[in-house]
Amino acid sequence: MTTTALFVTCLVDQFFPSVGEAAVELLEEAGCRVDFPEAQTCCGQPVFNSGYREEARPLARRMVEIFEPYDAVVSLSGSCASMLRVFTPRLFENEPRWRERASALGKRTFELSEFLAAREFRPRARFEGRVAYHPSCHLLRELGVDRAPRALLSRVGGLELVELADAESCCGFGGTFSVKFPELSSAILDDKLLAVAESGAEVLAASDVGCIMQMRGGLARRGSRVRVLHVAELLAGHA
């Protein structure tokens, strides 16, 4: 049995704990022994993306030390999984031993849908309705994960998966981008939500809760009845 560590991510921990609960159910259903290392903290992505590489290194070292003992690390965010797999090793270009350890951990780090799809997971959940999937930027562009979430959603009984126009476009969140450039962020979001409305979807699914916050807030301000859920919630039958 694979010993799997849940890398819950900061936003899930603080704002979306139900997503973490759904993920644990799914991983256990997939035959994993799930552990939640309580010492985990931020992976360092916000400071890294803001250009503070020196400040990101202590956080990166801590993440390596905490998650190193596990067979696999599963993240609930494509951006955080990308930080561990793609960018953390780059922080240690001048520290060969740390780079080796970070690279080894990166190879065992997966986003949830990527991990489940590789195991040909078939959810037991049912959902009667039309669902559109938003591919988040880091998951799609940094990790190359596109088909996995769609494949899993298509296996949910009763669920009708519909495509968004220009689906690969950003929702405008981008972490601190939405704070630094609110007008631009809102304009990008407008295009995304227009595509959601035109799709006829009753639910909008995504694999990053940052995107979920952005799109859920925009839809609420427009008085839309479309719900925005994490892929894990649909797969676990928590919709």
Side-chain angles (χ1 to χ4, degrees):
M1 180 181 289
T2 302
T3 304
T4 304
L6 182 65
F7 171 23
V8 75
T9 78
C10 298
L11 292 180
V12 171
D13 181 48
Q14 296 296 317
F15 301 111
F16 297 88
S18 61
V19 174
E21 293 169 0
V24 171
E25 290 181 22
L26 293 169
L27 291 169
E28 289 179 343
E29 190 177 330
C32 298
R33 184 169 66 246
V34 185
D35 190 16
F36 175 72
E38 294 187 8
Q40 65 180 284
T41 56
C42 179
C43 63
Q45 181 186 185
V47 289
F48 174 81
N49 287 347
S50 297
Y52 297 101
R53 306 191 81 170
E54 284 298 325
E55 289 79 3
R57 285 191 187 95
L59 291 168
R61 289 191 185 95
R62 181 173 176 80
M63 292 294 286
V64 171
E65 290 172 341
I66 289 170
F67 287 104
E68 210 167 27
Y70 295 95
D71 298 324
V73 177
V74 175
S75 171
L76 303 182
S77 164
S79 62
C80 295
S82 174
M83 182 64 195
L84 279 189
R85 188 190 299 178
V86 179
F87 297 108
T88 295
R90 297 181 189 178
L91 281 171
F92 302 113
E93 292 175 349
N94 299 318
E95 300 178 64
R97 178 56 186 147
W98 276 104
R99 184 176 67 244
E100 180 182 341
R101 292 173 67 181
S103 296
L105 178 62
K107 293 174 183 176
R108 303 196 305 278
T109 299
F110 307 90
E111 183 272 333
L112 177 66
S113 67
E114 174 188 30
F115 184 82
L116 293 175
R119 283 151 182 77
E120 299 184 353
F121 178 75
R122 293 197 168 273
R124 301 171 186 168
R126 288 193 61 84
F127 179 80
E128 302 292 338
R130 294 164 59 88
V131 176
Y133 171 70
H134 164 69
S136 58
C137 293
H138 282 82
L139 182 61
L140 178 65
R141 294 172 175 83
E142 296 293 346
L143 300 183
V145 176
D146 183 30
R147 296 180 61 184
R150 289 184 170 90
L152 291 167
L153 289 170
S154 70
R155 295 171 190 165
V156 174
L159 187 151
E160 180 186 354
L161 191 61
V162 299
E163 283 294 319
L164 294 175
D166 196 20
E168 296 183 0
S169 66
C170 180
C171 69
F173 178 63
T176 57
F177 173 85
S178 61
V179 177
K180 293 178 180 178
F181 306 101
E183 294 86 1
L184 183 54
S185 172
S186 295
I188 296 171
L189 177 62
D190 286 343
D191 290 340
K192 175 62 64 173
L193 298 188
L194 177 61
V196 173
E198 291 175 344
S199 74
E202 300 160 68
V203 169
L204 178 59
S207 294
D208 279 65
V209 294
C211 300
I212 289 172
M213 284 200 307
Q214 171 85 341
M215 297 184 296
R216 184 179 288 179
L219 288 166
R221 289 190 294 274
R222 288 161 176 76
S224 173
R225 298 181 66 180
V226 176
R227 294 188 294 150
V228 189
L229 299 173
H230 195 281
V231 169
E233 294 175 294
L234 283 160
L235 297 180
H238 292 189

